[in-house]
Amino acid sequence: MREVARSRFVSATPAELDHLLTPRRLVEYEGSFSVDSVDERNGETVVTASGPGLQFQLRFESRANGYYYEQAGDLGPFEAMETTVTVDRENEGSQVTMESRVALSLSIPFADRIAGWKRRGELDRALDTLAAEC
């Protein structure tokens, strides 16, 4: 399993980010998958996402200063994937940090290294898109 982390300053306060950082938008910001549906279940938000030839679910938990989410079940592209998003007040804006642990469900050499590289790009894209919207 690979661990990757990315952080970015954005010119919006944590309160201002409340409407931008939603489960739907986080998946959209990452840019790899489309959001098919968003359902509230037992205090969690479940996002059904899809890409070419696959559909899977991500389970989101709201935290005091962000979100935790993970692939639900084993139908997605990952053997395991979990991400924590934290928002901390900094100066006149916020520091947004995304930390992810990921393993691909492929039995090829260096699969986890490839997963980490891909996930790093998704986190960078999410933070870039968020910063552009602020």
Side-chain angles (χ1 to χ4, degrees):
M1 186 167 263
R2 284 287 202 207
E3 294 184 26
V4 296
R6 288 294 193 248
S7 189
R8 174 105 187 237
F9 175 82
V10 297
S11 60
T13 65
E16 293 169 332
L17 289 175
D18 277 347
H19 74 282
L20 292 176
L21 287 177
T22 65
R24 171 183 291 277
R25 286 190 177 203
L26 284 167
V27 173
E28 291 171 345
Y29 288 165
E30 290 177 10
S32 292
F33 302 103
S34 299
V35 174
D36 294 338
S37 66
V38 179
D39 300 304
E40 297 292 327
R41 300 179 189 167
N42 303 321
E44 297 176 332
T45 301
V46 177
V47 174
T48 301
S50 64
L54 70 118
Q55 186 178 57
F56 63 100
Q57 294 183 325
L58 296 166
R59 183 176 39 247
F60 284 76
E61 295 174 16
S62 182
R63 301 265 171 101
N65 63 340
Y67 284 98
Y68 167 83
Y69 60 102
E70 65 185 350
Q71 178 178 290
D74 57 0
L75 295 178
F78 309 105
E79 180 180 316
M81 189 282 294
E82 58 186 41
T83 301
T84 302
V85 180
T86 55
V87 177
D88 295 305
R89 176 82 183 205
E90 184 176 298
N91 299 324
E92 300 299 316
S94 301
Q95 190 70 31
V96 181
T97 302
M98 299 180 77
E99 298 175 282
S100 194
R101 293 172 21 108
V102 62
L104 279 181
S105 57
L106 298 173
S107 58
I108 61 172
F110 308 109
D112 286 353
R113 186 174 293 176
I114 293 167
W117 170 79
K118 173 96 167 93
R119 191 73 184 131
R120 190 174 303 110
E122 291 168 339
L123 299 182
D124 284 337
R125 191 168 35 250
L127 292 170
D128 289 347
T129 303
L130 175 64
E133 288 194 8
C134 292

